[in-house]
């Protein structure tokens, strides 16, 4: 039975196929299952597009159940334009006056909106790039402050905007000073000096005060530094307003040279005295005072008996020319004349030349004597085997200035003294036979030709500093010493002394590298950025010792920033912002409105000006809460309320929570409002009324968020800000344009809160 059943089915299937082949109405299907599925998907998608979206249906049901008119809302939504820009309306027929006026009005409004939108974006873009440029300028300043090398290795960046040359402070534990004992000792002397300056009395010698530091720390190198500074600053010439021009004069160059020689001669006397003290038996000094016997005792110790090559016999048991050289080396020309007179039968005409040289005010022979002594030198002395004789002739007669005389000038100090003795400071004729260098040529040779490598400056920093200082290259000496961290404090205080005496050449731009060269200056003049040096030094301790940093900034009071502002005020502003020591530095307001003085008060008569500058800079950096306190301290009540209005608007509608930004701002505003109300304020009527209105709105929102709706409703009604009747609508609309922007921006939140209160009261009453 089962076999017959399947057979019947097969026959029926074959019959169906035959019918289809015979041209029936249905087409023959020639697709596999995959193709059938794809075709079904296409048919379903076409059908789904014609059916309403389920989300739209659900939205319609939801909105309809809430009482919204769905068709009307749909029409309004379809009428909205998604254009990204405002386009002018199409013109109407010339005869349609009403339509024309309406179009013109709407086009004007659209043009204003579009222009405002454009200006807003342009202003935002400009402010963004200004902020970026200012940030980069600050970063660039930090980089330049970190580059304490010479100007040759530093790229100069032109700048047009720089608020301050101060860098960010390093965070250190509070209460711990980062100054070491030497820096603290220096800072005490700076404090004492500034106190005398502020009081207007006779200024003490800053160099002498710093010399005490060397004695207190018992460091011979530091003592030598201040001894050199003492000699080099005791010149009988007043420095004018232009240090470069004054120091380039022949008179001042000679004064510096004489002082350098005097220091080297005095140092050599000390050296000879110490040498004799250590060898008293060998020196055989005999207790007789005077340079003559001191030199004789020194030669007993240092010059071996029967030294070969020495000429022209002995003077009191010592070689004539050696005695004469060391007397001159110690600066005692009279002792040298005594030696020459004793051995006149050996020295010949040289005794007369030495007497003329000693009596000359500028330590220079006449042209006739110069010619004769140089002729004698070329004929016989140049080839002499006595190195002391050659050296004495070269010093007195200006002979052979290229000879270093290493046999007698074995140290750098000896070499430097010898070269200083052979300088010329007056214009000479080309045919007078002299080839003496000038001070500028010696400076160039030592600083540019020889340089640091020749003197092993990194290993002997004090020696190279001495070479530069004694050749009146103050700027290069300060910059070199400041490159060594452990010596920077000495370099800074040397700079303070020289700057106070108007000796330093400063760059026109306070952003210049630490050591720079001006194209208008004679070679090898350099300029040192004194402001950068002070800032770089105080950066180490300004966070922990702001009082001490302030003392150093006071030296910058006569300098100007690129914007023409007082650099001292600028630095103080940056210091206050970095340390946030507002009360200590600027003072604080008492409850009665009086200001308790701060540290800054003793430096300036008009303290309110610097406080307002700090407040303005603080506001510019976005620290508005701090700026409010500073403007309040400066008694700028208008600015205080203006900033508070902006800050209150931002948090007005927020719920209050303990220690939140809104809560802290509210307490600050209330305390200021109470003081202004009792003591009075000098703000404009518009700003003042807005300030007190915002405080009332703070009370309104506090009551609203805490659920005290009745009190909130009473407050908003008393403020008369919103219409609560149809008749008052027009009046409130007209009054709206008279409110400040802070109130207008807050109106949506005020309306929403008020409507919620009314809605709640309605539901409660129903």
């Amino acid at each position: 039975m089962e076999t017959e059943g399947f057979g019947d089915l097969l026959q029926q299937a074959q019959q169906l196929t035959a019918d289809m082949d015979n041209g029936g109405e249905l087409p023959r299907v020639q697709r596999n299952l995959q193709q059938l599925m794809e075709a079904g998907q296409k048919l379903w998608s076409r059908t789904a597009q014609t059916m309403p979206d389920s989300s739209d249906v659900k939205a319609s049901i939801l909105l309809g159940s809430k009482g919204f008119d769905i068709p009307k809302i749909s029409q309004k939504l379809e009428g909205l334009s998604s254009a990204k820009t405002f386009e002018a309306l199409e013109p109407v027929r010339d005869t349609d006056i009403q339509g024309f006026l309406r179009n013109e009005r709407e086009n004007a409004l659209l043009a204003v909106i579009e222009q405002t939108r454009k200006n807003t974006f342009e202003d935002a873009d400009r402010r963004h790039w200004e902020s970026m440029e200012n940030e980069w300028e600050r970063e660039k300043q930090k980089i330049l402050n970190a580059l304490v090398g010479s100007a040759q290795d530093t790229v100069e960046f032109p700048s047009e905007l720089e608020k301050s040359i101060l860098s960010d402070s390093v965070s250190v534990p509070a209460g711990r000073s980062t100054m070491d004992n030497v820096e603290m000792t220096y800072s005490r002397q700076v404090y004492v000096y500034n106190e005398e300056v502020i009081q207007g009395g006779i200024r003490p010698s800053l160099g002498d005060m710093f010399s005490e530091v060397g004695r207190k720390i018992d460091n011979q190198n530091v003592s030598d530094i201040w001894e050199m500074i003492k000699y080099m600053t005791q010149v009988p010439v007043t420095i004018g307003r232009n240090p470069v021009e004054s120091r380039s004069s022949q008179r001042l160059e000679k004064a510096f040279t004489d002082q350098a020689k005097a220091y080297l001669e005095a140092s050599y006397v000390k050296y000879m005295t110490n040498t004799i003290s250590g060898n008293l038996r060998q020196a055989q000094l005999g207790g007789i005072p005077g340079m003559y016997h001191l030199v004789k005792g020194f030669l007993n110790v240092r010059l071996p008996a029967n030294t070969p090559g020495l000429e022209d016999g002995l003077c009191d048991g010592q070689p004539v020319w050696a005695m004469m050289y060391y007397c001159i080396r110690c600066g005692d020309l009279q002792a040298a004349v005594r030696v020459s007179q004793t051995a006149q039968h050996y020295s010949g005409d040289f005794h007369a030349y030495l007497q003329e040289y000693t009596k000359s005010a500028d330590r220079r022979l006449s042209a006739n004597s110069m010619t004769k002594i140089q002729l004698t030198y070329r004929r016989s002395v140049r080839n002499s085997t006595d190195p002391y004789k050659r050296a004495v002739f070269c010093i007195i007669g200006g002979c052979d200035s290229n000879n270093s005389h290493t046999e007698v000038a074995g140290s750098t100090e000896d070499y430097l003294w010898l070269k200083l003795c052979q300088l010329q400071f007056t214009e000479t004729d080309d045919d007078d036979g002299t080839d003496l260098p000038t001070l500028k040529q010696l400076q160039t040779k030592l600083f540019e030709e020889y340089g640091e490598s020749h003197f092993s400056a990194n290993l002997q920093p004090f020696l190279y500093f001495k070479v530069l200082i004694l050749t009146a290259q103050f700027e290069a000496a300060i910059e070199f010493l400041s490159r060594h961290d452990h010596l920077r404090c000495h370099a800074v205080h040397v700079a303070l002394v020289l700057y106070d005496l108007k000796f330093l050449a400063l760059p026109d731009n306070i952003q210049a590298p630490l050591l720079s060269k001006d194209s208008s200056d004679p070679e090898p003049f350099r300029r040192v950025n004194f402001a950068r040096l002070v800032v770089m030094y105080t950066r180490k301790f300004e966070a922990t010792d702001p009082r001490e940093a302030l003392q150093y900034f006071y030296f910058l009071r006569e300098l100007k920033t690129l914007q023409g502002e007082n650099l001292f005020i600028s630095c103080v502003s940056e210091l206050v912002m970095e340390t946030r020591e507002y009360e200590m530095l600027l003072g604080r307001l008492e409850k009665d409105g009086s200001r308790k003085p701060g540290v800054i008060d003793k430096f300036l008569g008009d303290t309110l000006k610097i406080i307002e500058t700090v407040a303005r800079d603080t506001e510019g950096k976005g620290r508005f809460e701090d700026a409010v306190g500073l403007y309040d301290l400066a008694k700028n009540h208008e600015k205080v309320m203006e900033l508070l209005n902006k800050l209150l608007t931002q948090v007005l509608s927020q719920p209050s929570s303990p220690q939140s930004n809104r809560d802290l701002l509210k307490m600050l505003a209330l305390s200021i409002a109470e003081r202004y109300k009792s003591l009075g304020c000098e703000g404009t009527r518009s700003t003042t009324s807005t300030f007190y209105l915002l405080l009332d709105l703070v009370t309104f929102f506090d009551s609203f968020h805490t659920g005290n709706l009745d009190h909130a409703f009473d407050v908003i009604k008393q403020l008369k800000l919103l219409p609560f009747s149809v008749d008052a609508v027009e009046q409130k609309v007209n009054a709206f344009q008279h409110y400040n922007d802070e109130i207008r921006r807050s109106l949506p939140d005020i309306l929403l809160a008020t409507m919620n209160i009314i809605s709640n009261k309605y539901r409660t009453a129903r």
Side-chain angles (χ1 to χ4, degrees):
M1 291 295 293
E2 293 178 1
T3 305
E4 292 180 357
F6 282 111
D8 293 340
L9 287 174
L10 178 60
Q11 289 179 0
Q12 292 175 7
Q14 290 175 349
Q15 184 63 37
L16 287 173
T17 305
D19 292 341
M20 293 173 66
D21 291 339
N22 290 333
E25 294 181 0
L26 293 175
R28 183 177 177 85
V29 178
Q30 296 179 347
R31 300 182 184 181
N32 56 27
L33 292 177
Q34 182 67 27
Q35 292 172 334
L36 289 173
M37 185 177 70
E38 292 177 356
Q41 289 286 350
K42 291 180 180 179
L43 290 173
W44 178 82
S45 63
R46 293 175 186 173
T47 307
Q49 290 179 0
T50 61
M51 296 177 62
D53 189 2
S54 59
S55 60
D56 291 343
V57 174
K58 293 178 181 178
S60 299
I61 294 172
L62 176 63
L63 294 174
S65 63
K66 298 295 183 179
F68 288 95
D69 188 352
I70 304 301
K72 188 175 181 181
I73 292 177
S74 299
Q75 292 175 1
K76 289 183 178 180
L77 292 175
E78 290 173 357
L80 295 177
S81 173
S82 61
K84 295 183 179 180
T85 58
F86 294 98
E87 299 176 356
L89 301 178
E90 293 293 331
V92 297
R93 296 191 306 273
D94 294 340
T95 56
D96 189 358
I97 298 177
Q98 295 296 330
F100 172 77
L101 294 176
R102 183 172 59 255
N103 275 13
E104 285 297 311
R105 178 177 178 276
E106 293 181 0
N107 283 336
L109 291 174
L110 292 175
V112 170
I113 294 172
E114 176 63 19
Q115 186 62 38
T116 303
R117 170 184 164 278
K118 181 180 178 182
N119 292 342
T120 301
F121 277 97
E122 289 179 353
D123 185 63
D125 189 63
R126 179 180 56 80
R127 290 177 179 271
H128 166 73
W129 284 111
E130 284 181 359
S131 176
M132 291 289 289
E133 289 176 1
N134 291 340
E135 183 66 26
W136 163 236
E137 289 297 332
R138 287 191 289 271
E139 291 298 324
K140 185 174 69 177
Q141 196 64 40
K142 297 175 191 176
I143 295 171
L144 289 175
N145 283 338
L147 296 176
V148 296
S150 60
Q152 291 84 351
D153 301 325
T154 305
V155 179
E156 291 195 50
F157 296 92
S159 172
E160 297 180 356
L161 180 64
E162 178 62 35
K163 292 298 291 181
S164 172
I165 61 172
L166 274 176
S167 59
D168 291 340
S169 300
V170 179
S171 178
V172 293
R176 291 182 56 190
S177 174
T178 54
M179 301 179 74
D180 58 32
N181 291 333
V182 177
E183 292 167 342
M184 287 297 295
T185 307
Y186 273 126
S187 68
R188 292 189 192 101
Q189 300 294 69
V190 170
Y191 171 79
V192 173
Y193 177 77
N194 282 339
E195 287 294 315
E196 293 293 334
V197 172
I198 292 169
Q199 293 173 8
I202 299 176
R203 294 190 181 188
S205 172
L206 190 57
D208 292 342
M209 296 175 69
F210 289 156
S211 296
E212 297 179 10
V213 177
R215 291 191 289 270
K216 289 180 180 179
I217 65 177
D218 193 21
N219 187 312
Q220 186 58 46
N221 286 326
V222 177
S223 298
D224 290 344
I225 286 177
W226 291 113
E227 189 70 14
M228 283 187 286
I229 297 301
K230 180 179 180 180
Y231 270 88
M232 295 302 290
T233 54
Q234 289 180 346
V235 290
V237 181
T238 304
I239 303 294
R241 296 178 61 86
N242 188 342
V244 176
E245 182 179 343
S246 299
R247 284 168 50 188
S248 299
S249 66
Q250 294 176 355
R251 184 182 178 191
L252 196 54
E253 283 185 347
K254 187 177 187 309
F256 282 136
T257 302
D258 291 342
Q259 289 301 107
K261 287 164 54 181
Y263 169 79
L264 291 170
E265 290 163 357
S267 298
Y268 204 79
V269 171
K270 293 179 182 178
Y271 166 70
M272 292 175 61
T273 304
N274 293 334
T275 302
I276 293 173
S277 299
N279 303 271
L280 290 175
R281 180 175 298 180
Q282 187 178 356
Q284 299 178 3
L285 189 60
I288 304 176
M291 189 61 64
Y292 178 90
H293 296 283
L294 185 69
V295 171
K296 177 184 174 182
F298 177 74
L299 289 176
N300 286 333
V301 176
R302 295 303 301 269
L303 191 65
N306 302 321
T307 302
L310 302 183
E311 299 178 353
D312 298 335
L314 302 177
C315 175
D316 208 356
Q318 294 296 338
V320 173
W321 296 107
M323 280 282 291
M324 204 178 303
Y325 169 79
Y326 282 110
C327 287
I328 299 173
R329 176 69 180 86
C330 294
D332 194 336
L333 294 176
Q334 294 297 334
V337 170
R338 177 181 174 183
V339 175
S340 176
Q341 186 175 9
T342 303
Q344 188 172 359
H345 57 288
Y346 294 116
S347 58
D349 294 337
F350 183 81
H351 177 67
Y353 300 145
L354 183 59
Q355 284 185 318
E356 180 184 345
Y357 182 87
T358 303
K359 295 177 181 179
S360 172
D362 58 354
R363 293 291 185 266
R364 183 178 174 85
L365 297 176
S366 64
N368 185 38
S369 298
M370 185 79 74
T371 302
K372 291 179 180 179
I373 194 173
Q374 289 181 357
L375 182 61
T376 303
Y377 177 81
R378 287 194 295 267
R379 286 180 176 176
S380 59
V381 179
R382 178 188 292 174
N383 299 320
S384 172
T385 58
D386 192 337
Y388 295 103
K389 183 176 183 179
R390 296 198 304 270
V392 171
F393 264 81
C394 288
I395 294 169
I396 303 301
C399 311
D400 200 3
S401 60
N402 294 322
N403 193 335
S404 298
H405 301 280
T406 55
E407 301 94 332
V408 296
S411 67
T412 302
E413 289 84 353
D414 291 336
Y415 168 82
L416 186 59
W417 174 81
L418 191 63
K419 293 303 177 184
L420 290 172
C421 289
Q422 294 181 296
L423 298 180
Q424 66 173 349
F425 304 99
T426 56
E427 297 294 335
T428 58
D429 297 329
D430 295 336
D431 58 351
D432 65 353
T434 61
D435 59 349
L436 298 179
T438 62
L439 178 60
K440 292 185 179 65
Q441 291 172 336
L442 178 61
Q443 291 172 337
T444 302
K445 185 175 185 179
L446 296 174
F447 179 62
E448 296 185 353
E449 295 180 19
Y450 288 173
E452 298 178 21
S453 59
H454 177 83
F455 295 97
S456 300
N458 289 329
L459 300 177
Q460 304 178 87
F462 287 105
L463 177 62
Y464 189 58
F465 176 81
K466 180 185 294 186
V467 170
L468 295 176
I469 282 290
L470 294 180
T471 53
Q473 300 185 82
F474 306 130
E475 295 77 15
I478 291 169
E479 185 273 336
F480 165 74
L481 207 63
S482 69
R483 276 187 260 148
H484 299 74
D485 292 339
H486 65 289
L487 302 177
R488 184 171 301 152
C489 64
H490 305 301
V492 170
H493 293 89
V494 168
L496 291 179
V497 173
L498 296 177
Y499 173 77
D500 192 57
L501 296 173
K502 312 296 183 185
F503 276 32
L504 286 185
L506 308 182
D508 296 330
N509 186 353
I510 63 170
Q511 289 185 341
L514 194 56
L515 189 68
S516 59
K517 181 179 178 181
D518 195 295
S519 58
S520 62
D521 293 341
E523 289 288 347
F525 247 102
R526 297 293 187 271
R527 294 177 181 249
V528 66
N529 194 333
F530 176 70
R532 182 185 295 279
L533 182 67
V534 171
V535 168
M536 184 172 61
Y537 176 67
T538 56
R539 180 177 26 166
K540 173 185 175 182
F541 56 83
E542 64 181 11
T544 58
D545 303 271
R547 292 175 182 266
E548 283 69 24
L550 200 60
Q551 297 289 338
Y552 286 93
F553 290 153
Y554 188 60
F555 281 88
L556 308 179
R557 61 191 180 276
E558 295 181 2
L559 301 179
K560 301 292 183 182
T561 65
L562 295 180
Q563 292 76 34
E565 300 175 356
N566 186 294
L567 186 56
F568 169 62
I569 294 178
S570 240
C571 289
V572 171
S573 173
E574 193 71 16
L575 178 67
V576 172
M577 287 190 292
E578 292 298 331
T579 61
R580 298 200 175 189
E581 295 284 356
Y582 301 116
E583 292 187 0
M584 181 187 74
L585 295 173
L586 303 179
R588 72 168 185 265
L589 278 177
E590 302 291 355
K591 293 182 179 180
D592 59 357
S594 62
R595 189 179 70 87
K596 182 179 180 180
V599 178
I600 194 64
D601 282 76
K602 67 179 180 181
F603 293 104
L604 292 173
D606 188 7
T607 311
L608 296 182
K609 178 181 178 181
I610 190 171
I611 296 176
E612 188 155 355
T613 300
V614 177
R616 187 167 55 250
D617 293 342
T618 305
E619 180 189 0
K621 288 197 171 185
R623 299 178 183 174
F624 299 113
E625 292 84 353
D626 292 338
V628 168
L630 292 170
Y631 278 122
D632 196 23
L633 195 62
K635 301 187 182 301
N636 190 339
H637 301 159
E638 172 70 14
K639 198 66 180 179
V640 171
M641 292 186 289
E642 180 184 324
L643 283 179
L644 281 174
N645 291 345
K646 293 179 181 178
L647 294 173
L648 287 171
T649 303
Q650 298 172 9
V651 298
L652 184 63
S653 61
Q654 297 177 5
S656 181
S657 60
Q659 299 303 314
S660 65
N661 186 35
R662 183 184 187 277
D663 190 53
L664 296 175
L665 194 60
K666 170 188 170 183
M667 290 190 294
L668 174 63
L670 287 174
S671 65
I672 291 176
E674 290 174 1
R675 179 154 39 83
Y676 285 2
K677 189 173 183 180
S678 60
L679 302 176
C681 66
E682 300 176 359
T684 61
R685 181 177 180 182
S686 173
T687 305
T688 305
S689 61
T690 301
F691 174 58
Y692 285 102
L693 178 57
L694 284 171
L695 287 178
D696 290 333
L697 289 173
V698 168
T699 304
F700 164 73
F701 278 105
D702 283 345
S703 299
F704 172 73
H705 287 301
T706 56
N708 192 354
L709 302 184
D710 291 337
H711 181 260
F713 191 66
D714 291 340
V715 170
I716 198 64
K717 287 180 65 178
Q718 291 175 7
L719 294 179
K720 298 180 181 180
L721 188 63
L722 302 177
F724 288 94
S725 65
V726 177
D727 298 337
V729 171
E730 187 66 26
Q731 177 190 355
K732 299 303 178 184
V733 170
N734 293 333
F736 177 74
Q737 61 183 344
H738 298 295
Y739 289 113
N740 285 355
D741 289 341
E742 289 81 5
I743 301 298
R744 288 200 288 251
R745 292 194 192 101
S746 304
L747 191 62
D749 295 325
I750 298 171
L751 284 171
L752 181 60
T754 305
M755 293 305 297
N756 282 328
I757 293 172
I758 294 174
S759 175
N760 185 275
K761 292 174 72 68
Y762 172 75
R763 286 197 300 270
T764 302
R766 191 175 60 176

